[in-house]
Amino acid sequence: MDVTPTAASTPSTSSAAPATPVPPAPEPVLLPEPKRLGALARLAPEPMKVVLNWGRRYSLWVFNFGLACCAIEFIAASMARHDFIRLGVIPFAPGPRQADLMVVSGTVTDKMAPAVKRLYEQMPEPKYVISFGACSNCGGPYWDSYSVTKGVDQIIPVDVYVPGCPPRPEALLQGILKLQEKIARESLGERYASSGAGRPSVAALQSGLVQPPAAAPTTAATAEDAR
């Protein structure tokens, strides 16, 4: 039996349905350039940002600037019952030069404000501030006093505000968690930009500091008088 297809059984090309047009290929989407890590850009890959932020958020050395009764609640938060060391917070840094976090707890007066600013400027970058209590936030019940600063944010930047008069230790734990969430989202490329944009000048960093006394010029006459 011959099974060779004949011309009658072959479908005609003229009667076939028109071919569906092939859609053009989509244009390539250009993704934004990922943020770099400053000087570490050529050494560390982009996922290193997550690792660095993870390490900094769980190793916060605290410098407690206790000024009033809120400092007692800070001490209670560091004791065994609440134990904020389990959150990666190391209390009682040797000094501001070894601290990552300053907790200002209590009433900031105009006389104490220069000392708060000076110790904040001595802290190395990156540094953070928690304003603990109503007095540190806005002056509290003493906001209309002639000698009270209307909030520590008038002299230094504040990252987290903890309300209360005084706040409970649990409120400080919540403030620490909020600060750690902020550190986890932080971009090191913006903080450590190689161009230095947004960084304070040397004059701004030295503002408010006590300048050393100028050395008296030594002359020949002064040396002879000393003899």
Side-chain angles (χ1 to χ4, degrees):
M1 180 178 180
D2 189 6
V3 294
T4 305
T6 61
S9 61
T10 305
S12 176
T13 57
S14 59
S15 61
T20 304
V22 179
E27 294 293 333
V29 179
L30 299 179
L31 298 178
E33 184 180 356
K35 296 180 180 180
R36 301 299 180 182
L37 300 181
L40 297 178
R42 60 186 179 85
L43 301 177
E46 185 68 18
M48 200 66 174
K49 164 188 171 181
V50 179
V51 178
L52 294 176
N53 287 349
W54 176 84
R56 293 190 302 111
R57 67 186 289 196
Y58 292 123
S59 60
L60 293 171
W61 285 83
V62 180
F63 177 66
N64 179 28
F65 206 101
L67 297 171
C69 51
C70 291
I72 305 301
E73 301 299 324
F74 173 88
I75 297 174
S78 64
M79 294 294 105
R81 180 179 179 85
H82 302 281
D83 188 24
F84 60 34
I85 302 180
R86 59 192 168 91
L87 302 178
V89 180
I90 300 93
F92 312 121
R97 300 184 188 277
Q98 292 80 29
D100 308 299
L101 170 62
M102 174 187 284
V103 178
V104 183
S105 52
T107 311
V108 182
T109 60
D110 295 341
K111 185 176 182 180
M112 186 60 67
V116 176
K117 181 179 180 182
R118 181 174 184 178
L119 293 176
Y120 172 80
E121 292 174 347
Q122 292 179 3
M123 295 172 60
E125 288 283 354
K127 52 190 174 183
Y128 308 95
V129 176
I130 290 180
S131 179
F132 186 58
C135 290
S136 179
N137 292 344
C138 61
Y142 315 107
W143 66 271
D144 58 344
S145 174
Y146 71 95
S147 61
V148 172
T149 305
K150 308 305 185 287
V152 71
D153 54 2
Q154 302 293 320
I155 52 176
I156 60 176
V158 175
D159 297 281
V160 177
Y161 296 87
V162 179
C165 186
R168 292 182 57 84
E170 294 87 350
L172 179 58
L173 299 182
Q174 180 68 14
I176 292 173
L177 293 178
K178 291 297 183 182
L179 178 61
Q180 290 177 339
E181 293 175 2
K182 178 181 179 179
I183 296 175
R185 298 189 304 264
E186 193 172 38
S187 173
L188 297 181
E190 296 177 357
R191 178 178 284 272
Y192 302 113
S194 57
S195 60
R199 290 191 175 185
S201 60
V202 176
L205 292 176
Q206 295 179 351
S207 62
L209 300 182
V210 178
Q211 301 296 331
T218 304
T219 60
T222 306
E224 293 179 359
D225 294 341
R227 295 177 183 175

